[in-house]
């Protein structure tokens, strides 16, 4: 009976060993099935394959990298500026109530043009003082002549003559001051009389230009510190380009700048560099380069943001047509004809136990990253990230369709 009881532990040991080995085999199988997928994810598709019929259908043509004489350029951002000596704040030399306002925002004005009139009773008092001073001078001159005759005939005291002389000089000084004040107010002293005193003054434009803002209205009070309007002369508008330190040696006076407004990229304007700064702007590590706007200035306003392209000297450089370059994920690529094959999809089919599809004869293209340079006359200078043979053929037309084909193939494999 004893041997019958010892067989039970032996059975438990066999079952336990069998279950463990089965579990290990399942885990190994899972790892094997997962490993190809992980490796596949780490190897993105870079080869696109197209048949001759597909290439003809979308108009893909091949060419080579050419040596082209292109105008090198530098891109810089900036703003439109008007010099301070071409801006003006319109103010009144005297306080008063605005009686008329002859301008609107956007009005074109000439230097000296009347843009507003103001009224103040003090203006009449100033004219009154001028007329009174004139009368007192007439009397003072007579008194001085009388005292002079008396003193010359030993009939008058020197003190009286000196007093009359001082009074006459004081009045003449007062008249000269009032005369100047009236002229600054725009009042002709020779036209002032008891029956012709002006209660209003005119405010004129200090420069020619366009009214950019109006700060007052009819009935409001203005004084020396109160601006009535602002005038700006956009004919003197120029560019303030912010150029980085590394590009500064390439800047020269007389270079042409083509620029576009940030809010209107459809229209291109031209400017010419006339001054290059010699100090950094704040902490930006950029230097201001100034350029006069030439030609059309319609729609240009002080403070507008712009993007400019500075034309440098012409250089001979490897270049390809603009449409041969495609952009993806912030980088630029070209498609080079290659003997490599997109094997990833076939390997995937073999691993899945499926028959490999047979495709008609096709051309393969490898996606190669490039760095863009200057563009001119439909060509762009390029520097390949990895070497491209001078004899290599690239897709100079229809690269967009090859990129779409390659992208779709990659998605299909995943």
């Amino acid at each position: 009976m004893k041997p019958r009881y010892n067989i039970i532990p032996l059975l438990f040991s066999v079952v336990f060993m069998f279950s463990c080995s089965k579990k290990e085999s399942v885990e190994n199988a899972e790892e094997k099935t997962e490993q190809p997928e992980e490796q596949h994810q780490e190897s993105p598709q870079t080869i696109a394959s197209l048949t001759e019929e597909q290439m003809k259908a979308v108009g893909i043509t091949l060419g080579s990298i050419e040596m082209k004489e292109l105008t090198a350029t530098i891109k810089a951002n900036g703003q439109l500026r008007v010099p301070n000596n071409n801006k003006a704040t319109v103010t009144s030399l005297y306080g008063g109530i605005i009686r008329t306002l002859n301008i609107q925002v956007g009005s074109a004005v000439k230097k000296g043009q009347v843009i507003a009139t103001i009224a103040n009773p003090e203006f009449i008092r100033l004219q009154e003082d001028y007329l009174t001073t004139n009368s007192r001078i007439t009397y003072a001159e007579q008194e001085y002549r009388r005292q002079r005759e008396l003193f010359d005939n030993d009939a008058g005291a020197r003190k009286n003559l000196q007093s009359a002389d001082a009074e006459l000089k004081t009045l003449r000084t007062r008249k000269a001051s009032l005369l100047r004040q009236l002229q600054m107010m725009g009042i002709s002293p020779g036209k002032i009389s008891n029956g012709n005193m002006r209660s209003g003054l005119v405010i004129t434009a200090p420069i020619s230009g366009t009214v950019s803002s109006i700060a007052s209205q009819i009935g409001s009070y203005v004084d020396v510190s109160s601006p009535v309007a602002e005038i700006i002369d956009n004919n003197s508008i120029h560019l303030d380009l912010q150029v980085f330190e590394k590009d500064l040696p390439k800047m020269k006076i007389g270079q042409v700048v083509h620029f576009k407004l940030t809010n209107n990229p459809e229209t291109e304007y031209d400017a010419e560099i006339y001054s290059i700064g010699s100090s950094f702007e704040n902490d930006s590590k950029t230097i201001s380069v100034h350029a006069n706007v030439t030609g059309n200035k319609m729609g240009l306003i002080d403070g507008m943001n712009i993007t400019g392209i500075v034309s440098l000297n012409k250089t001979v450089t490897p270049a390809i047509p603009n449409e041969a370059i495609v952009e993806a994920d912030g980088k630029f690529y070209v498609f080079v004809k290659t003997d490599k094959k997109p094997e990833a999809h076939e390997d995937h089919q073999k691993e899945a136990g499926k028959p490999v599809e047979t495709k008609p004869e096709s051309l393969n293209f490898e996606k190669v990253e490039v760095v863009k340079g200057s563009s001119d006359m439909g060509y762009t200078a390029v520097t390949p990230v990895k070497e491209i043979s001078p004899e290599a053929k690239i897709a100079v037309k229809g690269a967009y369709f090859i990129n779409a084909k390659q992208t779709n193939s990659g998605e299909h494999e995943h």
Side-chain angles (χ1 to χ4, degrees):
M1 299 298 290
K2 190 174 182 180
R4 185 172 53 184
Y5 288 104
N6 292 336
I7 198 170
I8 295 174
L10 182 59
L11 290 172
F12 276 112
S13 299
V14 172
V15 172
F16 177 75
M17 293 174 61
F18 177 75
S19 63
C20 289
S21 61
K22 185 177 181 180
K23 183 178 180 180
E24 289 177 1
S25 63
V26 172
E27 290 176 351
N28 291 335
E30 290 177 353
E31 290 178 359
K32 289 180 179 179
T33 55
E34 290 175 358
Q35 187 175 3
E37 185 176 352
E38 293 175 357
Q39 291 177 349
H40 178 65
Q41 290 175 350
E42 293 174 357
S43 302
Q45 178 66 271
T46 59
I47 307 296
S49 181
L50 286 88
T51 65
E52 292 184 1
E53 291 183 359
Q54 290 174 327
M55 293 180 62
K56 289 180 180 179
V58 296
I60 297 174
T61 56
L62 303 181
S64 303
I65 297 178
E66 306 176 46
M67 298 302 293
K68 288 284 186 181
E69 186 182 47
L70 303 181
T71 301
T73 60
I74 292 177
K75 185 176 181 180
N77 296 323
Q79 285 187 323
L80 291 171
R81 294 295 187 193
V82 171
N84 287 337
N85 60 343
N86 293 98
K87 300 177 183 178
T89 299
V90 182
T91 57
S92 174
L93 292 175
Y94 299 89
I97 304 297
I98 292 184
R99 189 167 60 186
T100 62
L101 195 60
N102 307 325
I103 56 171
Q104 295 180 350
V105 174
S107 298
V109 295
K110 297 290 185 181
K111 182 178 180 179
Q113 179 180 331
V114 176
I115 63 174
T117 59
I118 60 173
N120 192 329
E122 290 294 327
F123 303 156
I124 297 178
R125 189 172 294 112
L126 193 62
Q127 295 170 77
E128 177 187 350
D129 288 346
Y130 179 76
L131 292 176
T132 301
T133 301
N134 258 347
S135 298
R136 291 178 61 187
I137 286 176
T138 301
Y139 172 77
E141 288 174 343
Q142 294 174 353
E143 178 63 16
Y144 175 77
R145 285 194 294 268
R146 190 173 70 85
Q147 291 296 334
R148 187 72 191 180
E149 289 177 2
L150 292 174
F151 178 77
D152 291 341
N153 295 325
D154 297 325
R158 178 180 292 273
K159 177 181 178 180
N160 292 336
L161 176 62
Q162 291 174 341
S163 177
D165 182 47
E167 176 68 12
L168 179 60
K169 290 179 178 178
T170 300
L171 290 173
R172 284 176 174 171
T173 301
R174 174 64 176 165
K175 177 183 178 181
S177 173
L178 292 171
L179 178 69
R180 185 59 180 158
Q181 291 182 58
L182 291 171
Q183 288 175 339
M184 292 177 66
M185 294 169 65
I187 298 175
S188 176
K191 296 181 179 179
I192 298 175
S193 64
N194 290 335
N196 183 27
M197 293 188 187
R198 292 173 53 182
S199 61
L201 299 180
V202 297
I203 300 176
T204 59
I207 64 171
S208 298
T210 303
V211 178
S212 59
S213 65
I214 299 175
S216 301
Q217 59 187 15
I218 294 176
S220 61
Y221 180 83
V222 296
D223 55 22
V224 178
S225 61
S226 302
V228 177
E230 290 186 354
I231 300 173
I232 188 167
D233 181 11
N234 282 323
N235 288 325
S236 58
I237 201 165
H238 70 272
L239 298 186
D240 272 357
L241 290 174
Q242 302 304 315
V243 177
F244 287 103
E245 181 181 3
K246 65 181 180 65
D247 295 325
L248 189 61
K250 303 173 186 177
M251 297 292 102
K252 296 179 181 179
I253 293 176
Q255 287 174 331
V256 176
V257 182
H258 303 288
F259 69 95
K260 295 181 180 180
L261 303 178
T262 303
N263 62 356
N264 181 24
E266 302 299 325
T267 306
E268 185 175 274
Y269 301 86
D270 295 327
E272 183 178 320
I273 295 176
Y274 71 88
S275 174
I276 299 174
S278 57
S279 61
F280 290 110
E281 293 290 323
N282 302 323
D283 298 328
S284 63
K285 288 297 180 182
T286 60
I287 297 92
S288 287
V289 174
H290 310 283
N292 281 323
V293 179
T294 58
N296 177 32
K297 298 180 183 179
M298 186 68 65
L300 302 184
I301 298 175
D302 179 49
M304 282 183 166
N305 294 319
I306 63 96
T307 299
I309 301 294
V310 183
S311 297
L312 308 178
N313 297 328
K314 288 184 176 292
T315 56
V316 178
T317 180
I320 57 177
N322 296 340
E323 56 186 325
I325 304 172
V326 296
E327 183 178 1
D329 301 324
K331 298 180 179 180
F332 300 97
Y333 300 90
V334 296
F335 285 94
V336 182
K337 183 175 175 292
T338 180
D339 293 331
K340 298 178 183 179
K341 297 181 180 180
E343 297 176 351
H345 182 55
E346 296 180 2
D347 293 342
H348 186 67
Q349 288 179 323
K350 291 177 181 179
E351 290 175 3
K354 298 178 182 180
V356 178
E357 298 177 3
T358 58
K359 299 181 180 179
E361 188 173 347
S362 59
L363 294 180
N364 298 326
F365 294 91
E366 182 179 6
K367 190 176 185 179
V368 179
E369 183 182 352
V370 296
V371 178
K372 288 177 60 176
S374 59
S375 296
D376 191 19
M377 303 297 291
Y379 279 79
T380 298
V382 291
T383 303
V385 173
K386 73 173 188 177
E387 185 178 358
I388 298 178
S389 170
E391 292 79 22
K393 295 295 182 180
I394 65 171
V396 295
K397 187 175 182 181
Y400 170 83
F401 297 100
I402 302 178
N403 185 57
K405 170 73 174 176
Q406 182 266 329
T407 303
N408 292 336
S409 298
E411 293 176 354
H412 175 69
E413 290 166 21
H414 289 288

